[in-house]
Each structure stands twice: as C-alpha cells, then as structure tokens.
C-alpha cells in the first residue's frame, strides 16, 4: 500500500463531514428539534456533574455552548480521521468507528424528552452517508495506489501522482458538496425564523407598555438601568438551540396530585385575566457583584388560578415543571399559590416573550432562584411531593429549595476607577425579592457603615437603586456595600460559593481618588 497515511486520514475526515452535512439536512427537512451534533451536546450537558457545568459557565460565560459544539465537532473529526486510517487496513474497521459514533448519536437523540423514532432518521442518514462515502474513498485510494505501482510519479521530488491528485480533487468536491448541503439545511431549517415571524404578529390584548416609576431611579450616571431591556437580559439555560414552538402548537398539562387534569392552550391562556408586575429574577450562578440578574415588566396568568382549577390534593408540596426541551425544576407549591405574582408569563416589557426567554410561555416566580422556578418553554406541571420528584439541577448537587438571598452590588465607581478626591457619589442596586429592601449601607476602608438613599419602587419583588455621597481623601480606597431587608435580615459578609443555593458576601470595589 503506497498511498500515504495522511491521505487516508483526510479521506476519513471528508467522510465525516459528508455524514454530518447529510444528518443536518435530514433534521432540517423533517423538522426534528435538533441535529445529531446538537443532541450529543445536550446529552453531554445532561451527563455532566453540576460543579463542572458551573465551572464552564464561570470560565466561558455565554460561550460555553458554542465551545461545547466545537468540542463535539472536533471529537467527531478526530474519530473520522481515525476511521480513515483504519479503513486503510480493512474497510470494515473504518466503518466500525463510524458505527460507534452512530450508536452514540442514537442514544443522545433517544434520551431527549419526547423523542420519537423519526428523530433517529437523521442519525441513520448520516451513517448511510458515512458508509457510502467511506467505501468510495477507500476504493479510490486503492485504485490510486495500484496505478502508482504501474506508473510511478514523474519528476524529481514528485510526491503526488496524477491519480492521487485526481482523488484529492474528488475529495474536495465532496467537501464542497457537503457545504452546499449544510447551506440548504440552513435554509430549510428556518423553523426559528418562522416562529419569530409568528411572534412578531402576536397581539396580546391586556398587555400594557411598561412605565418606569420616576422615583425608582436615583439619577446617577453609570448605574444599572432599573428596567432591563430584553436584549440585555441575562441568558442562562441548558438548551443548545432554543426550542421554537408556534403558539398554535403550545399547550400546558397540569396533572399529578390534583382532582382533575387541566390542559390549557395558548389561546385559552390569553383569554384569562392577565396580571402584570415588575419582577427581578436572578440566576443562582450569579456571584457576588455579578450581572446574572435583571428587572422586567412581566405579563401573564397567575399559576395559582390554574392550580385552583385543577384542585390540589392534600399532602402535595411541590410542582415539577418540565420544559419542551426536557429540562425540569421542582418548585415549592406554596410559592405558586400564595399572594406573590407567580406567573405563566406571555410577555416581557410589553412585548411577546423573545424566543430565547421562553416564547410562547414561561414561568416567573418572585423570590426564588431560576433553577427551582423559572421554566422557559414550559409544557408540563406535575403536582407532587419533593420526596417523590427529582429535577435537573438537584440531581447535580444543588439545593432542593432555593429562596433568593438578600444581596447588593456597587455599579459606580467600577473597580479600578479613578475619581476626583473630595465628595464622591457612589451607587448601585440591591434586592431581596418578595421581602423587599429597607436600607442599604456603604463603608470605606473598613470604616463605619453609612446609609444610602433608596429609589422608591412599587413592589418588593423588584430590585432598588441606591445612592450615597462620601468624602474621600486622595489615594486608593476600598468600598463595600450591604443591604438590610424589610424583615430585618442584614446581608451577611460571610463569603460562600454559588453552590448549592446561591453566593453570599459583601460586594467591594477598589478605586483611586486623585488629588
């Protein structure tokens, strides 16, 4: 066998690319939720321990999912090159490598909630392509080797014979064809664009345009806006690709420990009385001083209304919520049925929910971290007991119940900033959802705590802006902040990690006052 090993590895890689392109196109044509590559990435997320997921989010931020997709592609590429090298020895050996990849893809796709046999078709289409292209590549490289044995490459230093060049050109044509298939798949798989267009046409009667209370803002330049625009609202979820659900296809099933099962459609939900409220939500992964938090005007139907219609049975203390993509969270029943505005939200800041924020319907529960309450693309609610259910993050070592912890943040000055010495204005935000903030205090260089002025907010479920004026001498300074809740709880300075139920500690920044 005179054909270089690198040509066989390249042939395997070309084969791998062709199979991925075919599976992507098949997934787009069939309208299945995910291509096999995305399904494998989702599978990896589901199997990864919570501490590693948290570490990835902390290290990569919003790039965690793109990096994971690239990682899956790199692994498939390496395996494909290995398959080409194995096919050099025997064709079945290379096919066996692709068979292993196919089995892994099939397992990942089948493990999705709501998966059907149709979801396996793209995986099988990819394997069929691998089989066909690898057989062709192997035959072409062997014919090239036989031709070279009869007619060696001419010319001093020649390393590539005409027959080999022909095979390489044909491989290039396969890659170009695969790129074309991917482009067609991109065009065909325009489900998100279709749903986005539908979302733009949705008219929500009873949803009002938010008006920020004038006194909620303290008027300090550089402070976080009291209302967070949807485009700037933090995004944390496990979905590689956000589910795209047309409103006509959405429904919510409420079952379990209830007197009667309730199924409500999108139209039926909109026909109910809508409740609107300012609610701040934040991720449990938000570190002290972090920005995984936002405040918005949410519109929706109170969950308590639907649970009352279902008739909750005695002994129930939890509701297991399930997203269309299979993500789950266990929510305390009491938080869904008390006086707080726990909503099946349909709008955010006066407009239909963005797809990435849960369109057409998601849950919003003031006072709880998102991983136990905020279910995007929610399609199922099972009334149950915490002793009988298991949810996505609790299976990974996070707390079963997680009320939001009182916290505060310094926005002005930023860490490392230079300000003129003398009277300096500092400010930021503080929150204790469903309890409310009664005071914010600041301290410079370990000195005594001094009171800040608070913005006036219409609800205890939103954060508050704060402002303080301090006299600082020239030099470097350390500024700390802490909040006091309306129930008398003083924010602790004890530093704790976000796992298992949220970070604690005082936010602090260092700045320099210039003479």
């Amino acid at each position: 066998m005179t054909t270089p090993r690198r040509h066989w590895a390249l042939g395997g890689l070309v084969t791998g690319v062709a199979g991925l392109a075919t599976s992507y196109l098949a997934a787009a044509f069939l309208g299945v939720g995910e291509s096999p590559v995305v399904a494998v990435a989702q599978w990896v997320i589901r199997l990864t321990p919570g501490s590693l997921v948290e570490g990835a989010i902390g290290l990569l931020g919003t790039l965690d999912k793109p990096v994971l997709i690239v990682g899956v592609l790199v692994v498939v590429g390496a395996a494909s090159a290995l398959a080409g090298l194995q096919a050099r020895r025997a064709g079945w050996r290379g096919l066996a490598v692709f068979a292993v990849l196919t089995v892994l893809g099939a397992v990942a796709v089948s493990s999705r909630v709501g998966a059907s046999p149709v979801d396996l078709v793209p995986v099988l289409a990819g394997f069929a392509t691998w089989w066909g292209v690898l057989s062709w590549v192997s035959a072409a490289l062997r014919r090239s080797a036989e031709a070279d044995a009869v007619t060696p490459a001419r010319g001093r230093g020649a390393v590539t014979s005409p027959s080999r060049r022909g095979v390489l050109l044909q491989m290039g044509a396969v890659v170009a064809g695969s790129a074309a298939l991917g482009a067609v798949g991109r065009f065909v798989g325009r489900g998100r664009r279709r749903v986005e267009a539908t979302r733009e046409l949705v008219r929500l009667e009873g949803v009002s345009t938010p008006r920020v209370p004038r006194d909620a803002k303290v008027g300090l330049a550089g402070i976080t806006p009291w209302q967070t625009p949807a485009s700037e609202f933090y995004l944390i979820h496990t979905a590689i690709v956000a589910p795209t659900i047309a409103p006509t296809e959405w429904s919510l099933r409420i079952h379990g420990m209830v007197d009667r099962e309730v199924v409500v459609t999108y139209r039926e939900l909109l026909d109910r009385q809508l409740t609107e409220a300012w609610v701040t939500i934040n991720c449990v992964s938000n570190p002290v001083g972090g920005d995984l938090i936002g405040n918005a005007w949410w519109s929706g139907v109170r969950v308590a209304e639907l649970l009352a219609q279902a008739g909750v049975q005695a002994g129930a203390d939890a509701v297991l919520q399930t997203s269309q993509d299979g993500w789950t969270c266990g929510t305390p029943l009491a938080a869904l049925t008390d006086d707080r505005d726990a909503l099946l939200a349909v709008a955010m800041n006066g407009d239909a929910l963005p797809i990435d924020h849960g369109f057409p319907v998601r849950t919003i529960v003031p006072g709880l971290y998102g991983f136990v309450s905020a279910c995007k693309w929610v399609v199922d609610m099972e009334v149950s007991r915490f002793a009988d259910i298991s949810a996505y993050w609790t299976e990974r070592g996070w707390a079963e119940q997680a009320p939001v912890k009182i916290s505060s943040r310094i926005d002005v000055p930023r860490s490392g900033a230079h300000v003129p010495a003398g009277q300096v204005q500092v400010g930021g935000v503080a929150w204790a959802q469903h309890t409310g903030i009664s005071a914010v205090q600041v301290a410079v260089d370990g000195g005594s705590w001094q009171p800040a002025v608070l913005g006036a907010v219409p609800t205890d479920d939103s954060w508050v802006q704060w402002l303080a004026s301090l006299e600082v001498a020239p030099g470097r300074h350390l500024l700390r902040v802490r909040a006091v809740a309306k129930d008398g709880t003083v924010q602790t300075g004890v530093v704790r990690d976000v796992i298992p139920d949220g970070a604690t500690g005082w936010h602090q920044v260092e700045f320099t006052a210039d003479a």
Side-chain angles (χ1 to χ4, degrees):
M1 185 72 65
T2 59
T3 307
R5 288 171 55 86
R6 65 179 180 276
H7 289 178
W8 283 91
L10 179 61
L13 187 58
V14 168
T15 301
V17 169
L20 291 179
T22 302
S23 65
Y24 178 72
L25 180 62
F29 265 116
L30 293 172
V32 301
E34 302 163 346
S35 70
V37 169
V38 172
V40 169
Q42 295 276 38
W43 188 43
V44 170
I45 290 176
R46 289 194 294 269
L47 295 178
T48 302
S51 57
L52 293 182
V53 174
E54 179 62 35
I57 293 174
L59 179 65
L60 302 172
T62 57
L63 294 176
D64 58 337
K65 297 178 184 66
V67 168
L68 177 56
I69 290 289
V70 171
V72 172
L73 292 174
V74 168
V75 171
V76 173
S80 299
L82 175 62
L85 293 174
Q86 291 299 315
R88 182 173 185 265
R89 302 175 61 183
W92 68 268
R93 296 171 70 104
L95 190 60
V97 176
F98 284 120
V100 171
L101 292 178
T102 301
V103 170
L104 292 175
V107 171
V109 168
S110 300
S111 66
R112 290 179 56 246
V113 174
S116 69
V118 176
D119 295 324
L120 293 174
V121 172
V123 180
L124 299 178
F127 179 69
T129 303
W130 282 336
W131 190 341
V133 175
L134 184 64
S135 299
W136 170 79
V137 167
S138 299
L141 288 174
R142 287 191 171 88
R143 285 195 302 270
S144 172
E146 292 170 357
D148 291 347
V150 176
T151 307
R154 295 180 179 179
R156 186 169 183 173
V159 295
T160 304
S161 67
S163 61
R164 255 183 235 160
R165 285 197 295 271
V167 173
L168 293 178
L169 288 173
Q170 292 172 12
M171 287 185 188
V174 171
V175 172
S178 300
L181 289 179
V184 172
R186 177 70 176 172
F187 174 77
V188 173
R190 54 188 184 275
R192 181 185 176 101
R193 295 191 293 275
R194 175 178 60 85
V195 173
E196 187 62 61
T198 301
R199 174 189 169 273
E200 294 293 334
L201 296 174
V202 169
R203 294 296 176 262
L204 301 173
E205 297 182 4
V207 172
S208 61
T209 301
R211 296 181 181 275
V212 177
R214 186 185 351 174
D215 294 338
K217 298 181 289 185
V218 296
L220 178 62
I223 202 169
T224 301
W226 190 76
Q227 176 187 346
T228 309
S231 60
E232 298 176 15
F233 215 94
Y234 75 94
L235 276 174
I236 295 291
H237 50 68
T238 61
I240 297 295
V241 177
T244 50
I245 312 170
T248 55
E249 299 170 349
W250 179 88
S251 65
L252 172 68
R253 177 186 177 220
I254 300 176
H255 60 105
M257 295 178 64
V258 296
D259 296 333
R260 63 197 69 84
E261 184 174 303
V262 172
V263 177
V264 60
T265 66
Y266 188 68
R267 182 69 263 169
E268 291 169 343
L269 191 68
L270 295 184
D271 287 341
R272 293 172 177 264
Q273 178 67 43
L274 293 184
T275 296
E276 298 185 292
W278 290 105
V279 179
T280 296
I281 62 173
N282 52 302
C283 182
V284 71
S285 298
N286 196 33
V288 173
D291 59 1
L292 298 181
I293 183 171
N295 185 54
W297 176 249
W298 304 95
S299 309
V301 174
R302 298 187 77 243
V303 179
E305 177 185 327
L306 292 169
L307 291 176
Q309 179 181 340
V312 176
Q313 296 175 355
D317 64 2
V319 173
L320 182 66
Q321 301 188 65
T322 302
S323 168
Q324 196 271 348
D325 69 337
W327 183 84
T328 56
C329 67
T331 308
L333 178 62
L336 298 174
T337 55
D338 62 15
D339 61 346
R340 77 187 76 194
D341 289 323
L343 302 177
L344 285 169
V346 297
M348 177 183 188
N349 288 336
D351 295 316
L353 292 171
I355 289 178
D356 287 329
H357 286 289
F359 180 80
V361 182
R362 64 168 295 168
T363 47
I364 292 292
V365 185
L368 298 180
Y369 284 117
F371 82 101
V372 295
S373 66
C375 187
K376 299 176 182 176
W377 316 289
V378 60
V379 295
D380 189 274
M381 287 185 169
E382 179 188 358
V383 179
S384 185
R385 293 184 291 255
F386 277 112
D388 299 330
I389 63 173
S390 181
Y392 181 89
W393 283 111
T394 52
E395 291 173 348
R396 288 159 174 77
W398 294 73
E400 187 174 70
Q401 302 188 44
V404 170
K405 295 180 177 177
I406 181 174
S407 192
S408 53
R409 187 180 72 202
I410 302 168
D411 291 338
V412 180
R414 301 291 181 183
S415 183
H418 285 254
V419 301
Q423 203 71 19
V424 175
Q425 286 193 319
V426 300
V429 288
W431 58 92
Q433 293 95 309
H434 204 57
T435 301
I437 296 292
S438 64
V440 171
Q441 303 165 340
V442 293
V444 179
D445 301 329
S448 60
W449 293 103
Q450 303 179 49
V453 175
L454 302 184
V457 295
T459 171
D460 290 335
D461 291 334
S462 71
W463 60 11
V464 298
Q465 291 185 347
W466 59 268
L467 171 69
S469 185
L470 305 173
E471 183 71 29
V472 294
R476 292 175 61 85
H477 300 281
L478 178 67
L479 175 66
R480 290 190 176 98
V481 63
R482 72 179 184 185
V484 181
K486 288 185 176 179
D487 64 1
T489 301
V490 179
Q491 181 182 346
T492 180
V494 176
V495 177
R496 291 194 178 93
D497 190 23
V498 296
I499 299 176
D501 59 359
T504 64
W506 296 328
H507 187 213
Q508 61 184 37
V509 298
E510 291 185 353
F511 67 95
T512 301
D514 298 323

